[in-house]
Amino acid sequence: MLRGSGLARQFFEKPPWRPPLKRKTPTTAALLVLSVVLMTALITYSSWIDTSVVFIENSNDKNNTMVVSKKPKTPVPIQRIEIPLNCTASKNQTQTCPTDYPKTFQTQDIDPSLNPVCPDYFRWIHEDLRPWKTSGITRDTVERAKGSATFHLVIKGSKVYVKNYRPAIQTRDVFTIWGIQQLLRKYPGGLPDLEIMFDTEDRPAIRSRDYRGPNATAPPPLFRYCGDKKTLDIVFPDWSFWGWAEINIKPWESILKDVKHGNNKIKWTDREPYAYWKGNPFVDVNRQDLLKCNVTDQQDWNARLFIQDWILEGQQGFKQSNVADQCTYRYKIYIEGYAWSVSEKYILACDSVTLMVQPQFYDFFMRSMQPVDHYWPVRNDDKCRSLKFAVDWGNNHKKKAQEIGKAASSFMQEQLKMDYVYDYMFHLLNEYAKLLKFEPIIPQGATELCSEVIACHAEGLQGRKKKFMMESLVKGPSITNPCTLPPPYDPRALAAFLRRKNNSILQVKKWETGYWESLNKQ
Ligand SMILES: *[C@@H]1O[C@H](CO)[C@@H](O)[C@H](O)[C@H]1NC(C)=O
Ligand SMILES: *[C@@H]1O[C@H](CO)[C@@H](O)[C@H](O)[C@H]1NC(C)=O
Ligand SMILES: *[C@@H]1O[C@H](CO)[C@@H](O)[C@H](O)[C@H]1NC(C)=O
Ligand SMILES: *[C@@H]1O[C@H](CO)[C@@H](O)[C@H](O)[C@H]1NC(C)=O
Ligand SMILES: *[C@@H]1O[C@H](CO)[C@@H](O)[C@H](O)[C@H]1NC(C)=O
Ligand SMILES: *[C@@H]1O[C@H](CO)[C@@H](O)[C@H](O)[C@H]1NC(C)=O
């Protein structure tokens, strides 16, 4: 039955994944539970209206606990307040920081313990900080990161001070610091005093092998945008969440809206049935290797690959590079550049299937994503054949392929929405600060940077710098608490999670081998 071309069919017809869970008809018990939940919600809601409002303040002391106090009998729910930037200085004056921004935030959450738990990827905060869990972080340890740092950022009394060590690539530093400022606008008083060293370069720098053995010192804590297996750098959201002004990539919140709209414009089945990639191939040999898979008169690996010429794009007003308009193919290839690439989130946000060429680096959210659930793994050492198989597979399993695309785009829209990006920063910085064993001080030569100082006179890049800052400005203090940080992974659960990841990749490799063997037999 399954001979010759039938073998190939086997790979396409036998669903190599779990069948969808059968939907159970709701039992009486389930209905009972549901109505109890609904009633509780109603009661809680009405009590919120007329009894109490919880006030959250954040102490700036060493133990950084949130002080929760109940203020009885406040009949009015909390109003969301908006606090525009107070740009008082004219062009030839120095802008100062306002002194009247709220120092705390009030929330309307009835019971902070009922707060939603943050997405699973927040668990990696504990893993990233593990090297200092027992030793803590001393001043000396922080200072040792100086050699690699772009800037030294200090939070003292809820104000931000920055000392620059070296120029950053483009506006990476400005938009990263802007992001931290917005976090403080969202949760005033939400960050304790702390000092961090931040490196805005691409590749992680703190090699774990240098900090092993009985006499090893604690590694220097260095914040950056990505990490890998061999390093201990602490990963932090990259600047492009607030915009990448040089290449006209808008703040993430705007992009999520645009992409959602774009996804609805063209149905998956109506999209080009090929794997699409557009980018700069000159940053890495792997990308140049990928270009060999492009379609020609002689070959078709199901790949449609294009070179992004940013200079030309800039001259033409970036008409061809709107990421929201790039969801027109059923498959989109993600391939790393010199390190991780910010393009990842834009690719995953399309409803298309992400074909992920085996990555080396990770950013703060991708470690929780699963191959075959959220993306399709593609071999790095045999890209063309791997791509050809992936696309053939998807075109023959349209339903499953669409599910993968949808799982990734939902992850981006829901778990990686801007509120969660801020909450990730909130928890990472709070957990980090708990480890500090010294009193943070403002270093000599540091400047106070508030949103006003950064944005009021921001110029350049045809006004995009200022435009993106205004677009990503947090309007005022949050009226809800950050989500609740989940506990660290249980070591066994983490090992199982990683094993599952490996097994999925291995499984796809097996299908791929089988596919090519069956084709070669024909
Ligand atoms: C730390 O928190 C505990 C419990 O909330 C409190 O009793 C204690 O006074 C706090 N320590 C400092 C230094 O504020
Ligand atoms: C803006 O700042 C100035 C000086 O710092 C202050 O006098 C003024 O009241 C502020 N305006 C608003 C609207 O907060
Ligand atoms: C610069 O400052 C001076 C004095 O403070 C003022 O007279 C002048 O109008 C200012 N120029 C601009 C362009 O704001
Ligand atoms: C650790 O330090 C001790 C004392 O300084 C030394 O005798 C030993 O050889 C060191 N061990 C390693 C692995 O470097
Ligand atoms: C890949 O092939 C397409 C279609 O022939 C072509 O338009 C495109 O320029 C090619 N890309 C590269 C990088 O050569
Ligand atoms: C997963 O595979 C990699 C190599 O492909 C290996 O280094 C790693 O130990 C594996 N992890 C688990 C949990 O099996």
Side-chain angles (χ1 to χ4, degrees):
M1 211 180 97
L2 288 168
R3 288 220 192 96
S5 64
L7 244 181
R9 210 178 307 132
Q10 180 190 19
F11 285 98
F12 292 135
E13 282 173 4
K14 233 170 90 189
W17 59 87
R18 297 182 309 283
L21 286 175
K22 252 205 194 148
R23 190 175 297 233
K24 276 196 219 145
T25 45
T27 61
T28 341
L31 285 174
L32 201 71
V33 169
L34 184 69
S35 56
V36 168
V37 168
L38 279 175
M39 273 177 60
T40 325
L42 266 177
I43 292 164
T44 348
Y45 182 71
S46 50
S47 70
W48 164 67
I49 296 286
D50 58 28
T51 56
S52 75
V53 174
V54 174
F55 279 67
I56 300 290
E57 293 147 21
N58 210 312
S59 63
N60 261 332
D61 58 33
K62 280 251 176 59
N63 65 10
N64 303 325
T65 47
M66 264 202 166
V67 184
V68 178
S69 58
K70 279 217 160 113
K71 193 175 178 187
K73 298 256 177 216
T74 309
V76 278
I78 285 173
Q79 292 287 314
R80 193 182 282 279
I81 48 167
E82 295 202 354
I83 304 175
L85 286 190
N86 186 354
C87 295
T88 48
S90 61
K91 276 227 160 83
N92 61 4
Q93 287 171 311
T94 318
Q95 176 64 46
T96 53
C97 293
T99 50
D100 48 2
Y101 198 85
K103 303 272 184 292
T104 56
F105 62 106
Q106 300 180 333
T107 73
Q108 60 183 22
D109 299 345
I110 298 118
D111 180 353
S113 66
L114 293 178
N115 260 0
V117 176
C118 311
D120 235 33
Y121 65 84
F122 281 59
R123 289 176 188 268
W124 290 98
I125 289 174
H126 305 291
E127 301 308 315
D128 283 355
L129 296 176
R130 197 171 291 288
W132 302 276
K133 198 168 185 226
T134 46
S135 64
I137 299 170
T138 61
R139 165 161 301 284
D140 170 64
T141 316
V142 172
E143 294 285 334
R144 276 192 286 119
K146 204 187 240 177
S148 313
T150 312
F151 60 84
H152 182 173
L153 183 142
V154 176
I155 294 176
K156 182 95 180 164
S158 289
K159 292 179 176 167
V160 174
Y161 303 86
V162 175
K163 178 171 182 170
N164 281 308
Y165 293 131
R166 60 178 63 84
I169 301 173
Q170 300 180 338
T171 48
R172 289 180 178 195
D173 56 343
V174 180
F175 278 90
T176 301
I177 296 164
W178 174 257
I180 295 173
Q181 280 303 346
Q182 300 323 300
L183 173 63
L184 280 166
R185 281 178 64 91
K186 187 175 169 78
Y187 299 128
L191 295 181
D193 291 357
L194 56 83
E195 293 190 27
I196 61 171
M197 293 286 183
F198 205 110
D199 184 1
T200 56
E201 298 281 322
D202 281 336
R203 283 195 179 170
I206 311 298
R207 293 183 307 188
S208 36
R209 68 156 189 239
D210 297 340
Y211 302 94
R212 280 198 204 116
N215 298 346
T217 52
L222 182 63
F223 285 74
R224 65 165 352 96
Y225 309 120
C226 76
D228 71 1
K229 266 203 305 228
K230 296 178 182 159
T231 51
L232 299 170
D233 302 56
I234 303 169
V235 291
F236 196 83
D238 72 74
W239 72 95
S240 67
F241 282 93
W242 296 272
W244 187 349
E246 282 79 4
I247 59 170
N248 196 33
I249 290 186
K250 292 196 266 189
W252 179 232
E253 196 156 27
S254 317
I255 293 208
L256 276 180
K257 279 191 204 122
D258 292 355
V259 172
K260 197 171 197 172
H261 184 72
N263 278 343
N264 293 335
K265 260 198 318 215
I266 170 161
K267 278 204 319 220
W268 189 87
T269 40
D270 294 340
R271 298 182 188 186
E272 297 284 340
Y274 302 108
Y276 171 89
W277 182 78
K278 183 168 186 178
N280 175 2
F282 307 110
V283 290
D284 192 71
V285 286
N286 267 319
R287 286 187 168 184
Q288 285 161 36
D289 190 43
L290 173 70
L291 286 188
K292 293 180 193 148
C293 310
N294 200 16
V295 64
T296 64
D297 295 342
Q298 286 86 45
Q299 59 175 29
D300 191 353
W301 300 109
N302 290 336
R304 304 292 182 265
L305 313 171
F306 304 90
I307 292 174
Q308 180 79 274
D309 181 345
W310 284 116
I311 295 168
L312 187 68
E313 282 293 317
Q315 286 162 354
Q316 298 174 348
F318 299 102
K319 285 200 185 68
Q320 304 295 314
S321 56
N322 184 355
V323 287
D325 292 341
Q326 290 183 9
C327 303
T328 55
Y329 283 76
R330 288 185 190 171
Y331 309 91
K332 294 197 64 177
I333 299 167
Y334 170 72
I335 182 163
E336 293 181 328
Y338 185 61
W340 109 110
S341 161
V342 298
S343 64
E344 181 191 45
K345 57 184 175 298
Y346 311 120
I347 293 171
L348 287 163
C350 289
D351 279 343
S352 312
V353 182
T354 299
L355 305 183
M356 189 170 295
V357 180
Q358 182 62 45
Q360 178 190 339
F361 303 94
Y362 53 76
D363 54 33
F364 71 102
F365 63 86
M366 78 176 294
R367 284 177 286 183
S368 292
M369 303 188 88
Q370 275 284 5
V372 186
D373 289 350
H374 296 109
Y375 58 87
W376 190 263
V378 166
R379 300 173 70 116
N380 195 23
D381 55 0
D382 196 0
K383 295 182 187 68
C384 300
R385 280 156 42 103
S386 201
L387 286 170
K388 166 114 174 104
F389 167 66
V391 171
D392 271 358
W393 184 90
N395 287 338
N396 283 285
H397 295 90
K398 293 194 181 67
K399 187 162 170 291
K400 179 59 188 168
Q402 287 177 77
E403 277 169 29
I404 299 174
K406 196 81 213 161
S409 64
S410 306
F411 187 104
M412 296 293 117
Q413 292 284 350
E414 289 153 29
Q415 305 195 36
L416 199 63
K417 63 182 177 188
M418 217 43 215
D419 282 333
Y420 279 139
V421 175
Y422 284 120
D423 286 2
Y424 189 91
M425 294 156 61
F426 174 91
H427 284 302
L428 173 59
L429 292 175
N430 269 288
E431 293 302 303
Y432 169 85
K434 283 180 192 166
L435 299 169
L436 296 184
K437 300 183 104 175
F438 61 93
E439 187 69 35
I441 51 163
I442 304 163
Q444 278 212 321
T447 352
E448 186 188 347
L449 291 181
C450 54
S451 299
E452 278 80 2
V453 166
I454 299 175
C456 287
H457 294 321
E459 279 174 354
L461 304 166
Q462 286 133 24
R464 286 194 298 273
K465 223 163 125 182
K466 177 124 185 184
K467 181 167 162 257
F468 290 166
M469 285 176 185
M470 292 306 100
E471 213 171 300
S472 60
L473 178 76
V474 164
K475 303 277 183 303
S478 173
I479 56 167
T480 51
N481 282 314
C483 57
T484 303
L485 180 65
Y489 277 111
D490 164 71
R492 290 224 303 270
L494 180 58
F497 176 85
L498 295 176
R499 232 179 297 123
R500 188 172 148 229
K501 211 164 180 160
N502 269 9
N503 287 342
S504 298
I505 294 171
L506 272 178
Q507 183 63 69
V508 170
K509 280 185 182 166
K510 273 189 201 151
W511 293 334
E512 198 173 306
T513 309
Y515 166 84
W516 284 107
E517 274 172 13
S518 71
L519 281 187
N520 290 340
K521 274 191 206 137
Q522 286 170 22

